[in-house]
mmCIF file of all heavy atoms in Angstrom:
data_model
loop_
_atom_site.group_PDB
_atom_site.id
_atom_site.type_symbol
_atom_site.label_atom_id
_atom_site.label_comp_id
_atom_site.label_asym_id
_atom_site.label_seq_id
_atom_site.Cartn_x
_atom_site.Cartn_y
_atom_site.Cartn_z
ATOM 1 N N LEU A 1 52.804 -42.265 19.443
ATOM 2 C CA LEU A 1 53.173 -43.580 18.884
ATOM 3 C C LEU A 1 54.689 -43.790 18.878
ATOM 4 O O LEU A 1 55.438 -42.929 18.641
ATOM 5 C CB LEU A 1 52.508 -43.800 17.511
ATOM 6 C CG LEU A 1 51.055 -43.629 17.430
ATOM 7 C CD1 LEU A 1 50.676 -43.716 15.955
ATOM 8 C CD2 LEU A 1 50.281 -44.583 18.251
ATOM 9 N N ASP A 2 55.051 -45.047 19.134
ATOM 10 C CA ASP A 2 56.463 -45.424 19.116
ATOM 11 C C ASP A 2 56.561 -46.711 18.289
ATOM 12 O O ASP A 2 55.875 -47.717 18.624
ATOM 13 C CB ASP A 2 56.932 -45.579 20.534
ATOM 14 C CG ASP A 2 58.488 -45.937 20.610
ATOM 15 O OD1 ASP A 2 59.054 -46.324 19.585
ATOM 16 O OD2 ASP A 2 59.044 -45.830 21.710
ATOM 17 N N ARG A 3 57.395 -46.736 17.299
ATOM 18 C CA ARG A 3 57.495 -47.933 16.485
ATOM 19 C C ARG A 3 57.995 -49.143 17.210
ATOM 20 O O ARG A 3 57.823 -50.326 16.771
ATOM 21 C CB ARG A 3 58.460 -47.601 15.277
ATOM 22 C CG ARG A 3 57.903 -46.670 14.277
ATOM 23 C CD ARG A 3 58.904 -46.449 13.189
ATOM 24 N NE ARG A 3 58.398 -45.540 12.166
ATOM 25 C CZ ARG A 3 57.673 -45.863 11.120
ATOM 26 N NH1 ARG A 3 57.472 -47.099 10.898
ATOM 27 N NH2 ARG A 3 57.244 -44.905 10.170
ATOM 28 N N GLU A 4 58.664 -48.874 18.321
ATOM 29 C CA GLU A 4 59.181 -49.958 19.063
ATOM 30 C C GLU A 4 58.277 -50.641 20.086
ATOM 31 O O GLU A 4 58.516 -51.692 20.604
ATOM 32 C CB GLU A 4 60.423 -49.543 19.812
ATOM 33 C CG GLU A 4 61.538 -49.024 18.860
ATOM 34 C CD GLU A 4 61.997 -49.973 17.862
ATOM 35 O OE1 GLU A 4 62.150 -51.173 18.212
ATOM 36 O OE2 GLU A 4 62.304 -49.667 16.734
ATOM 37 N N GLN A 5 57.142 -49.879 20.329
ATOM 38 C CA GLN A 5 56.279 -50.421 21.418
ATOM 39 C C GLN A 5 55.320 -51.426 20.834
ATOM 40 O O GLN A 5 54.932 -51.490 19.625
ATOM 41 C CB GLN A 5 55.424 -49.225 22.014
ATOM 42 C CG GLN A 5 54.359 -48.647 21.088
ATOM 43 C CD GLN A 5 53.610 -47.532 21.682
ATOM 44 O OE1 GLN A 5 53.028 -46.724 20.957
ATOM 45 N NE2 GLN A 5 53.651 -47.333 22.947
ATOM 46 N N SER A 6 54.850 -52.334 21.722
ATOM 47 C CA SER A 6 53.916 -53.408 21.357
ATOM 48 C C SER A 6 52.487 -52.838 21.430
ATOM 49 O O SER A 6 52.304 -51.797 21.934
ATOM 50 C CB SER A 6 54.081 -54.623 22.302
ATOM 51 O OG SER A 6 53.717 -54.216 23.655
ATOM 52 N N PHE A 7 51.590 -53.594 20.943
ATOM 53 C CA PHE A 7 50.167 -53.130 20.973
ATOM 54 C C PHE A 7 49.797 -53.108 22.463
ATOM 55 O O PHE A 7 48.973 -52.270 22.875
ATOM 56 C CB PHE A 7 49.262 -54.041 20.274
ATOM 57 C CG PHE A 7 47.776 -53.682 20.198
ATOM 58 C CD1 PHE A 7 47.347 -52.520 19.478
ATOM 59 C CD2 PHE A 7 46.899 -54.187 21.102
ATOM 60 C CE1 PHE A 7 46.050 -52.061 19.611
ATOM 61 C CE2 PHE A 7 45.605 -53.865 21.157
ATOM 62 C CZ PHE A 7 45.158 -52.769 20.457
ATOM 63 N N THR A 8 50.307 -54.036 23.232
ATOM 64 C CA THR A 8 49.892 -54.035 24.628
ATOM 65 C C THR A 8 50.403 -52.733 25.335
ATOM 66 O O THR A 8 49.541 -52.101 26.103
ATOM 67 C CB THR A 8 50.614 -55.205 25.423
ATOM 68 O OG1 THR A 8 50.079 -56.376 24.876
ATOM 69 C CG2 THR A 8 50.333 -55.194 26.943
ATOM 70 N N GLN A 9 51.544 -52.260 25.024
ATOM 71 C CA GLN A 9 52.092 -50.987 25.571
ATOM 72 C C GLN A 9 51.196 -49.809 25.079
ATOM 73 O O GLN A 9 50.927 -48.895 25.808
ATOM 74 C CB GLN A 9 53.459 -50.785 25.208
ATOM 75 C CG GLN A 9 54.421 -51.829 25.875
ATOM 76 C CD GLN A 9 55.879 -51.776 25.280
ATOM 77 O OE1 GLN A 9 56.035 -51.591 24.050
ATOM 78 N NE2 GLN A 9 56.811 -51.929 26.144
ATOM 79 N N LEU A 10 50.840 -49.803 23.796
ATOM 80 C CA LEU A 10 49.982 -48.753 23.208
ATOM 81 C C LEU A 10 48.616 -48.734 23.924
ATOM 82 O O LEU A 10 48.223 -47.628 24.303
ATOM 83 C CB LEU A 10 49.817 -48.984 21.713
ATOM 84 C CG LEU A 10 48.796 -48.030 21.022
ATOM 85 C CD1 LEU A 10 49.274 -46.582 21.112
ATOM 86 C CD2 LEU A 10 48.637 -48.512 19.572
ATOM 87 N N ALA A 11 48.090 -49.870 24.110
ATOM 88 C CA ALA A 11 46.726 -49.948 24.623
ATOM 89 C C ALA A 11 46.775 -49.468 26.197
ATOM 90 O O ALA A 11 45.819 -48.706 26.601
ATOM 91 C CB ALA A 11 46.193 -51.378 24.656
ATOM 92 N N GLN A 12 47.797 -49.748 26.880
ATOM 93 C CA GLN A 12 47.978 -49.283 28.170
ATOM 94 C C GLN A 12 48.168 -47.723 28.255
ATOM 95 O O GLN A 12 47.622 -47.007 29.194
ATOM 96 C CB GLN A 12 49.213 -49.854 28.989
ATOM 97 C CG GLN A 12 48.905 -51.401 29.173
ATOM 98 C CD GLN A 12 47.767 -51.667 30.007
ATOM 99 O OE1 GLN A 12 47.394 -51.035 30.982
ATOM 100 N NE2 GLN A 12 47.016 -52.865 29.623
ATOM 101 N N GLN A 13 48.888 -47.197 27.303
ATOM 102 C CA GLN A 13 49.072 -45.785 27.159
ATOM 103 C C GLN A 13 47.747 -45.054 26.952
ATOM 104 O O GLN A 13 47.414 -44.107 27.552
ATOM 105 C CB GLN A 13 50.060 -45.481 26.066
ATOM 106 C CG GLN A 13 50.332 -43.967 25.794
ATOM 107 C CD GLN A 13 51.151 -43.624 24.581
ATOM 108 O OE1 GLN A 13 51.788 -44.537 24.047
ATOM 109 N NE2 GLN A 13 51.173 -42.338 24.230
ATOM 110 N N VAL A 14 47.006 -45.556 25.945
ATOM 111 C CA VAL A 14 45.724 -45.078 25.665
ATOM 112 C C VAL A 14 44.806 -45.212 26.862
ATOM 113 O O VAL A 14 44.005 -44.244 27.143
ATOM 114 C CB VAL A 14 45.117 -45.697 24.399
ATOM 115 C CG1 VAL A 14 43.606 -45.250 24.173
ATOM 116 C CG2 VAL A 14 45.935 -45.423 23.195
ATOM 117 N N ARG A 15 44.834 -46.278 27.554
ATOM 118 C CA ARG A 15 43.980 -46.422 28.761
ATOM 119 C C ARG A 15 44.278 -45.413 29.776
ATOM 120 O O ARG A 15 43.291 -44.651 30.288
ATOM 121 C CB ARG A 15 44.287 -47.801 29.376
ATOM 122 C CG ARG A 15 43.579 -48.056 30.695
ATOM 123 C CD ARG A 15 43.963 -49.379 31.304
ATOM 124 N NE ARG A 15 43.323 -49.567 32.625
ATOM 125 C CZ ARG A 15 43.890 -49.155 33.766
ATOM 126 N NH1 ARG A 15 45.091 -48.595 33.750
ATOM 127 N NH2 ARG A 15 43.341 -49.332 34.896
ATOM 128 N N LEU A 16 45.471 -45.026 30.108
ATOM 129 C CA LEU A 16 45.798 -44.049 31.064
ATOM 130 C C LEU A 16 45.393 -42.656 30.565
ATOM 131 O O LEU A 16 44.854 -41.791 31.375
ATOM 132 C CB LEU A 16 47.344 -44.017 31.402
ATOM 133 C CG LEU A 16 47.826 -45.266 32.102
ATOM 134 C CD1 LEU A 16 49.388 -45.196 32.194
ATOM 135 C CD2 LEU A 16 47.167 -45.503 33.413
ATOM 136 N N THR A 17 45.529 -42.345 29.259
ATOM 137 C CA THR A 17 45.138 -41.105 28.757
ATOM 138 C C THR A 17 43.717 -40.914 28.885
ATOM 139 O O THR A 17 43.177 -39.800 29.171
ATOM 140 C CB THR A 17 45.649 -40.916 27.283
ATOM 141 O OG1 THR A 17 47.050 -41.060 27.155
ATOM 142 C CG2 THR A 17 45.231 -39.593 26.672
ATOM 143 N N CYS A 18 42.923 -41.989 28.507
ATOM 144 C CA CYS A 18 41.464 -41.921 28.556
ATOM 145 C C CYS A 18 41.026 -41.710 30.012
ATOM 146 O O CYS A 18 40.120 -40.875 30.226
ATOM 147 C CB CYS A 18 40.818 -43.137 28.008
ATOM 148 S SG CYS A 18 40.926 -43.393 26.221
ATOM 149 N N LEU A 19 41.613 -42.449 30.925
ATOM 150 C CA LEU A 19 41.159 -42.312 32.334
ATOM 151 C C LEU A 19 41.451 -40.830 32.858
ATOM 152 O O LEU A 19 40.535 -40.273 33.559
ATOM 153 C CB LEU A 19 41.886 -43.240 33.211
ATOM 154 C CG LEU A 19 41.514 -44.728 32.983
ATOM 155 C CD1 LEU A 19 42.348 -45.685 33.803
ATOM 156 C CD2 LEU A 19 40.117 -45.004 33.321
ATOM 157 N N ASP A 20 42.527 -40.299 32.410
ATOM 158 C CA ASP A 20 42.838 -38.902 32.874
ATOM 159 C C ASP A 20 41.881 -37.926 32.241
ATOM 160 O O ASP A 20 41.320 -37.027 32.837
ATOM 161 C CB ASP A 20 44.255 -38.510 32.457
ATOM 162 C CG ASP A 20 45.321 -39.147 33.332
ATOM 163 O OD1 ASP A 20 44.940 -39.573 34.440
ATOM 164 O OD2 ASP A 20 46.492 -39.262 32.939
ATOM 165 N N ALA A 21 41.448 -38.200 30.953
ATOM 166 C CA ALA A 21 40.563 -37.376 30.178
ATOM 167 C C ALA A 21 39.175 -37.436 30.878
ATOM 168 O O ALA A 21 38.526 -36.347 31.048
ATOM 169 C CB ALA A 21 40.501 -37.747 28.829
ATOM 170 N N TYR A 22 38.772 -38.610 31.278
ATOM 171 C CA TYR A 22 37.497 -38.730 31.961
ATOM 172 C C TYR A 22 37.442 -37.957 33.291
ATOM 173 O O TYR A 22 36.444 -37.350 33.651
ATOM 174 C CB TYR A 22 37.214 -40.192 32.347
ATOM 175 C CG TYR A 22 37.096 -41.171 31.057
ATOM 176 C CD1 TYR A 22 37.300 -42.528 31.167
ATOM 177 C CD2 TYR A 22 36.832 -40.626 29.770
ATOM 178 C CE1 TYR A 22 37.263 -43.351 30.061
ATOM 179 C CE2 TYR A 22 36.818 -41.430 28.705
ATOM 180 C CZ TYR A 22 37.012 -42.814 28.835
ATOM 181 O OH TYR A 22 36.976 -43.570 27.718
ATOM 182 N N ILE A 23 38.490 -38.023 34.021
ATOM 183 C CA ILE A 23 38.492 -37.249 35.234
ATOM 184 C C ILE A 23 38.463 -35.789 35.019
ATOM 185 O O ILE A 23 37.868 -35.043 35.845
ATOM 186 C CB ILE A 23 39.883 -37.584 35.998
ATOM 187 C CG1 ILE A 23 39.964 -39.046 36.479
ATOM 188 C CG2 ILE A 23 40.010 -36.676 37.277
ATOM 189 C CD1 ILE A 23 41.213 -39.449 37.093
ATOM 190 N N ASN A 24 38.913 -35.337 33.882
ATOM 191 C CA ASN A 24 38.947 -33.869 33.681
ATOM 192 C C ASN A 24 37.972 -33.465 32.501
ATOM 193 O O ASN A 24 38.157 -32.616 31.741
ATOM 194 C CB ASN A 24 40.383 -33.474 33.170
ATOM 195 C CG ASN A 24 41.362 -33.563 34.268
ATOM 196 O OD1 ASN A 24 41.478 -32.779 35.168
ATOM 197 N ND2 ASN A 24 42.096 -34.690 34.342
ATOM 198 N N GLN A 25 36.804 -34.270 32.456
ATOM 199 C CA GLN A 25 35.837 -34.068 31.367
ATOM 200 C C GLN A 25 34.828 -32.940 31.679
ATOM 201 O O GLN A 25 34.077 -32.595 30.799
ATOM 202 C CB GLN A 25 35.124 -35.346 31.064
ATOM 203 C CG GLN A 25 34.243 -35.785 32.256
ATOM 204 C CD GLN A 25 33.378 -36.954 31.854
ATOM 205 O OE1 GLN A 25 32.506 -36.880 31.004
ATOM 206 N NE2 GLN A 25 33.654 -38.104 32.382
ATOM 207 N N ASP A 26 34.747 -32.369 32.795
ATOM 208 C CA ASP A 26 33.717 -31.425 33.161
ATOM 209 C C ASP A 26 33.824 -30.088 32.532
ATOM 210 O O ASP A 26 32.839 -29.430 32.166
ATOM 211 C CB ASP A 26 33.575 -31.328 34.721
ATOM 212 C CG ASP A 26 33.135 -32.572 35.323
ATOM 213 O OD1 ASP A 26 32.352 -33.294 34.805
ATOM 214 O OD2 ASP A 26 33.603 -32.885 36.459
ATOM 215 N N ILE A 27 35.015 -29.549 32.296
ATOM 216 C CA ILE A 27 35.146 -28.275 31.720
ATOM 217 C C ILE A 27 34.673 -28.301 30.294
ATOM 218 O O ILE A 27 35.161 -29.132 29.518
ATOM 219 C CB ILE A 27 36.725 -27.804 31.839
ATOM 220 C CG1 ILE A 27 36.849 -26.426 31.320
ATOM 221 C CG2 ILE A 27 37.590 -28.764 31.079
ATOM 222 C CD1 ILE A 27 38.158 -25.817 31.525
ATOM 223 N N PRO A 28 33.857 -27.295 29.926
ATOM 224 C CA PRO A 28 33.382 -27.309 28.526
ATOM 225 C C PRO A 28 34.570 -27.299 27.544
ATOM 226 O O PRO A 28 35.501 -26.466 27.712
ATOM 227 C CB PRO A 28 32.467 -26.002 28.500
ATOM 228 C CG PRO A 28 32.090 -25.840 29.924
ATOM 229 C CD PRO A 28 33.238 -26.311 30.733
ATOM 230 N N PHE A 29 34.423 -27.916 26.477
ATOM 231 C CA PHE A 29 35.445 -28.046 25.414
ATOM 232 C C PHE A 29 35.737 -26.630 24.813
ATOM 233 O O PHE A 29 36.858 -26.383 24.453
ATOM 234 C CB PHE A 29 35.058 -29.057 24.435
ATOM 235 C CG PHE A 29 36.235 -29.252 23.387
ATOM 236 C CD1 PHE A 29 37.347 -29.891 23.762
ATOM 237 C CD2 PHE A 29 36.103 -28.878 22.060
ATOM 238 C CE1 PHE A 29 38.400 -30.176 22.888
ATOM 239 C CE2 PHE A 29 37.178 -29.128 21.201
ATOM 240 C CZ PHE A 29 38.282 -29.747 21.538
ATOM 241 N N ASP A 30 34.688 -25.926 24.618
ATOM 242 C CA ASP A 30 34.907 -24.541 24.018
ATOM 243 C C ASP A 30 35.826 -23.684 24.878
ATOM 244 O O ASP A 30 36.626 -22.836 24.436
ATOM 245 C CB ASP A 30 33.649 -23.797 23.778
ATOM 246 C CG ASP A 30 32.773 -23.507 25.040
ATOM 247 O OD1 ASP A 30 32.557 -24.469 25.785
ATOM 248 O OD2 ASP A 30 32.478 -22.332 25.266
ATOM 249 N N GLN A 31 35.840 -23.892 26.266
ATOM 250 C CA GLN A 31 36.677 -23.212 27.109
ATOM 251 C C GLN A 31 38.135 -23.688 27.003
ATOM 252 O O GLN A 31 39.128 -22.952 27.160
ATOM 253 C CB GLN A 31 36.206 -23.309 28.622
ATOM 254 C CG GLN A 31 34.975 -22.575 28.950
ATOM 255 C CD GLN A 31 34.973 -22.064 30.364
ATOM 256 O OE1 GLN A 31 35.829 -22.435 31.143
ATOM 257 N NE2 GLN A 31 33.933 -21.167 30.608
ATOM 258 N N VAL A 32 38.290 -24.974 26.797
ATOM 259 C CA VAL A 32 39.642 -25.491 26.548
ATOM 260 C C VAL A 32 40.155 -24.863 25.200
ATOM 261 O O VAL A 32 41.417 -24.551 25.200
ATOM 262 C CB VAL A 32 39.586 -27.077 26.357
ATOM 263 C CG1 VAL A 32 40.911 -27.609 25.992
ATOM 264 C CG2 VAL A 32 39.110 -27.691 27.670
ATOM 265 N N VAL A 33 39.376 -24.811 24.221
ATOM 266 C CA VAL A 33 39.819 -24.189 22.956
ATOM 267 C C VAL A 33 40.245 -22.782 23.107
ATOM 268 O O VAL A 33 41.295 -22.234 22.701
ATOM 269 C CB VAL A 33 38.716 -24.317 21.832
ATOM 270 C CG1 VAL A 33 39.150 -23.558 20.597
ATOM 271 C CG2 VAL A 33 38.443 -25.773 21.551
ATOM 272 N N SER A 34 39.365 -22.041 23.932
ATOM 273 C CA SER A 34 39.758 -20.554 24.145
ATOM 274 C C SER A 34 40.989 -20.428 24.930
ATOM 275 O O SER A 34 41.702 -19.454 24.783
ATOM 276 C CB SER A 34 38.553 -19.966 24.880
ATOM 277 O OG SER A 34 37.382 -19.974 24.158
ATOM 278 N N LEU A 35 41.269 -21.390 25.950
ATOM 279 C CA LEU A 35 42.408 -21.323 26.735
ATOM 280 C C LEU A 35 43.675 -21.597 25.876
ATOM 281 O O LEU A 35 44.675 -20.906 26.001
ATOM 282 C CB LEU A 35 42.254 -22.448 27.818
ATOM 283 C CG LEU A 35 43.367 -22.571 28.808
ATOM 284 C CD1 LEU A 35 43.546 -21.295 29.681
ATOM 285 C CD2 LEU A 35 43.250 -23.763 29.594
ATOM 286 N N LEU A 36 43.622 -22.581 24.978
ATOM 287 C CA LEU A 36 44.750 -22.971 24.181
ATOM 288 C C LEU A 36 45.090 -21.947 23.003
ATOM 289 O O LEU A 36 46.208 -21.819 22.595
ATOM 290 C CB LEU A 36 44.527 -24.399 23.564
ATOM 291 C CG LEU A 36 44.491 -25.455 24.643
ATOM 292 C CD1 LEU A 36 44.007 -26.690 24.023
ATOM 293 C CD2 LEU A 36 45.785 -25.646 25.430
ATOM 294 N N ARG A 37 43.944 -21.461 22.383
ATOM 295 C CA ARG A 37 44.124 -20.615 21.208
ATOM 296 C C ARG A 37 44.960 -21.167 20.175
ATOM 297 O O ARG A 37 45.968 -20.573 19.714
ATOM 298 C CB ARG A 37 44.674 -19.219 21.645
ATOM 299 C CG ARG A 37 43.767 -18.396 22.489
ATOM 300 C CD ARG A 37 44.247 -17.014 22.649
ATOM 301 N NE ARG A 37 43.335 -16.105 23.390
ATOM 302 C CZ ARG A 37 43.546 -14.810 23.588
ATOM 303 N NH1 ARG A 37 44.674 -14.258 23.269
ATOM 304 N NH2 ARG A 37 42.592 -14.152 24.178
ATOM 305 N N PRO A 38 44.683 -22.307 19.726
ATOM 306 C CA PRO A 38 45.472 -23.034 18.771
ATOM 307 C C PRO A 38 45.425 -22.339 17.324
ATOM 308 O O PRO A 38 44.416 -21.768 16.990
ATOM 309 C CB PRO A 38 44.904 -24.408 18.651
ATOM 310 C CG PRO A 38 43.467 -24.265 18.990
ATOM 311 C CD PRO A 38 43.489 -23.186 19.975
ATOM 312 N N ARG A 39 46.561 -22.396 16.642
ATOM 313 C CA ARG A 39 46.620 -21.893 15.246
ATOM 314 C C ARG A 39 45.955 -22.872 14.315
ATOM 315 O O ARG A 39 46.346 -24.028 14.327
ATOM 316 C CB ARG A 39 47.898 -21.629 14.841
ATOM 317 C CG ARG A 39 48.665 -20.511 15.661
ATOM 318 C CD ARG A 39 50.053 -20.273 15.090
ATOM 319 N NE ARG A 39 50.038 -19.804 13.805
ATOM 320 C CZ ARG A 39 51.141 -19.541 13.096
ATOM 321 N NH1 ARG A 39 52.365 -19.684 13.638
ATOM 322 N NH2 ARG A 39 51.041 -19.083 11.831
ATOM 323 N N ARG A 40 44.951 -22.472 13.481
ATOM 324 C CA ARG A 40 44.306 -23.250 12.554
ATOM 325 C C ARG A 40 45.053 -23.275 11.201
ATOM 326 O O ARG A 40 45.450 -22.187 10.797
ATOM 327 C CB ARG A 40 42.824 -22.936 12.327
ATOM 328 C CG ARG A 40 42.054 -22.859 13.703
ATOM 329 C CD ARG A 40 40.649 -22.829 13.455
ATOM 330 N NE ARG A 40 39.792 -22.616 14.621
ATOM 331 C CZ ARG A 40 38.568 -22.955 14.819
ATOM 332 N NH1 ARG A 40 37.868 -23.243 13.733
ATOM 333 N NH2 ARG A 40 37.877 -22.732 15.849
ATOM 334 N N SER A 41 45.103 -24.413 10.573
ATOM 335 C CA SER A 41 45.672 -24.443 9.347
ATOM 336 C C SER A 41 44.803 -23.861 8.212
ATOM 337 O O SER A 41 45.332 -23.284 7.223
ATOM 338 C CB SER A 41 45.976 -25.958 8.928
ATOM 339 O OG SER A 41 44.775 -26.693 8.974
ATOM 340 N N ASP A 42 43.543 -23.836 8.422
ATOM 341 C CA ASP A 42 42.647 -23.088 7.622
ATOM 342 C C ASP A 42 41.423 -22.765 8.405
ATOM 343 O O ASP A 42 41.170 -23.259 9.471
ATOM 344 C CB ASP A 42 42.245 -23.864 6.274
ATOM 345 C CG ASP A 42 41.695 -25.218 6.639
ATOM 346 O OD1 ASP A 42 40.457 -25.290 7.004
ATOM 347 O OD2 ASP A 42 42.377 -26.214 6.590
#
């Protein structure tokens, strides 16, 4: 998020992110988690 951006700019950013996510949606999410190995807060 950017305080200076308009809602139109935000919506376009989200649109592109969603489209990219849809293209890369086939890999199981548990494999993404295993790949990233994120640190959990709890």
Side-chain angles (χ1 to χ4, degrees):
L1 302 175
D2 184 344
R3 291 179 179 271
E4 302 300 323
Q5 71 182 163
S6 64
F7 182 77
T8 297
Q9 293 170 321
L10 172 62
Q12 293 302 322
Q13 179 187 348
V14 172
R15 172 182 177 273
L16 294 176
T17 302
C18 286
L19 292 177
D20 286 341
Y22 298 157
I23 293 173
N24 295 278
Q25 67 172 293
D26 294 324
I27 183 172
F29 186 69
D30 62 305
Q31 289 215 349
V32 174
V33 174
S34 298
L35 180 69
L36 295 171
R37 291 186 173 183
R39 296 182 60 183
R40 303 192 185 200
S41 57
D42 58 77

